[in-house]
Amino acid sequence: MFVIDKASNTQMQPRIPTPKIMFFDIDDTLSRGGIIAEHNKATLEQLADTDIKLIIATGRSKAIIPDDILALLADDILDAIICMNGQYSFNKDGIISHYPLTDAQTDKIVHLCQQSGLIHKFDSATHIAWSDENERIREYNAKTPTSILDPEYHRSYPVYQCSVFFNNQFDKMQDVDFAKYNLKLVHWHNTGADILPIEASKARGINDVCQYYGVDVDDCMAFGDGMNDLEMFDLVGYAVAMGDSQPALIERADYVTGTIEEHGIQMMLEHLSIEATSSAQ
């Protein structure tokens, strides 16, 4: 693993082959607070003039992907979006792959959340549906048309993942044997986690998208910062962790760059001699 010395940029890294696809997480990789950093937007626009395909790989529901990211897809800057931790992948032409939860899975998830006394939400392609509400959820729903209160939503519509929220990472559900039910709990924040089928991950979405575009995963690069990026990092040919990534992810990275504010993506491109302003070779 090569780690940038932020105090001195004198270390050298051999040039790696230009990737055929770059995968980007959204939150804390491209964006802060749900808004893409202007320098990252500019870099994506420059990279779009190369032969590199640019694809989002996020845990977010399709229903709450930020408008600025969707605009990049509409403007042909991005080629596709993998969302809901690989459970749903799409481009401008439509769905590439999707894996709805089964009735048995949703019933088990609801039971586990109720046992733990947790409000949860299920994510579909169009909405996030909460099982209950509190003041914070009411405020969020009031300003987010795709976020609704409907504890029975999963019985009528395909849903792809469940999300739960804690006071801290080790507060709830630590005694649940999710694997027993072919499920897993994946933390994307200290106080938030997704409940997914055990085989679900961004890596599965990446495999689907690579097959769709006829690209080998070894010819891909991925940028991320969270625990739901682990499988993605293990899969692609070159993995780049942001400077404020989770320690476990940093251990799996081929390269550790700076934070968003330190222009980490641009730093990586410069150090690996990938030109954002010329066609890929």
Side-chain angles (χ1 to χ4, degrees):
M1 179 174 68
F2 179 81
V3 180
I4 292 178
D5 179 356
K6 295 177 184 176
S8 172
N9 289 334
T10 59
Q11 298 189 44
M12 300 298 292
Q13 172 76 356
R15 182 184 177 93
I16 67 166
T18 301
K20 294 181 180 178
I21 299 179
M22 289 183 178
F23 294 95
F24 298 90
D25 176 50
I26 296 177
D27 296 293
D28 301 324
T29 297
L30 288 176
S31 306
R32 287 281 195 220
I35 300 173
I36 190 169
E38 283 298 322
H39 56 275
N40 286 338
K41 180 175 181 290
T43 293
L44 292 179
E45 290 171 344
Q46 293 169 353
L47 286 168
D49 289 332
T50 74
D51 295 331
I52 303 170
K53 292 191 178 298
L54 308 175
I55 296 173
I56 294 296
T58 181
R60 278 181 176 253
S61 165
K62 183 175 185 286
I64 55 170
I65 293 173
D67 289 341
D68 53 13
I69 297 295
L70 293 174
L72 293 175
L73 180 66
D75 292 341
D76 296 317
I77 305 301
L78 295 172
D79 292 277
I81 295 176
I82 299 167
C83 59
M84 295 184 272
N85 293 296
Q87 291 286 87
Y88 194 104
S89 304
F90 67 101
N91 60 14
K92 288 177 68 173
D93 295 326
I95 298 172
I96 294 173
S97 65
H98 70 128
Y99 304 94
L101 299 177
T102 66
D103 291 343
Q105 287 171 330
T106 57
D107 287 346
K108 179 53 67 175
I109 290 170
V110 168
H111 177 68
L112 292 173
C113 290
Q114 290 174 341
Q115 276 191 324
S116 296
L118 290 170
I119 294 176
H120 61 276
K121 68 174 178 64
F122 279 110
D123 298 349
S124 77
T126 58
H127 291 85
I128 60 174
W130 298 88
S131 63
D132 202 346
E133 60 182 357
N134 53 33
E135 183 177 352
R136 185 175 180 182
I137 293 171
R138 280 192 293 272
E139 290 176 357
Y140 183 77
N141 286 354
K143 63 183 180 181
T144 310
T146 57
S147 182
I148 61 174
L149 173 64
D150 186 350
E152 300 298 317
Y153 183 87
H154 62 283
R155 300 193 184 281
S156 301
Y157 301 96
V159 294
Y160 297 88
Q161 69 179 8
C162 174
S163 299
V164 289
F165 301 87
F166 316 123
N167 292 325
N168 63 71
Q169 186 168 349
F170 303 104
D171 187 41
K172 296 282 188 177
M173 300 189 113
Q174 298 305 306
D175 59 342
V176 177
D177 183 5
F178 285 95
K180 176 181 176 181
Y181 310 110
N182 202 35
L183 298 169
K184 62 182 177 180
L185 182 75
V186 180
H187 283 273
W188 43 265
H189 189 272
N190 287 337
T191 60
D194 296 319
I195 303 175
L196 296 155
I198 202 163
E199 66 273 14
S201 70
K202 291 184 182 183
R204 178 160 71 168
I206 287 174
N207 271 320
D208 293 339
V209 166
C210 284
Q211 183 176 0
Y212 179 87
Y213 287 113
V215 174
D216 193 292
V217 293
D218 287 338
D219 295 326
C220 298
M221 178 180 290
F223 298 79
D225 69 282
M227 297 301 288
N228 62 348
D229 295 318
L230 287 171
E231 293 93 344
M232 174 171 75
F233 271 34
D234 288 344
L235 178 67
V236 299
Y238 205 84
V240 181
M242 304 301 290
D244 49 0
S245 295
Q246 293 289 326
L249 191 73
I250 286 175
E251 290 300 317
R252 304 272 263 273
D254 296 298
Y255 191 96
V256 181
T257 190
T259 64
I260 291 177
E261 292 74 21
E262 294 167 330
H263 292 219
I265 290 173
Q266 294 72 27
M267 185 186 299
M268 188 285 309
L269 295 175
E270 178 182 350
H271 275 262
L272 299 188
S273 301
I274 295 174
E275 295 292 335
T277 56
S278 63
S279 295
Q281 300 299 314

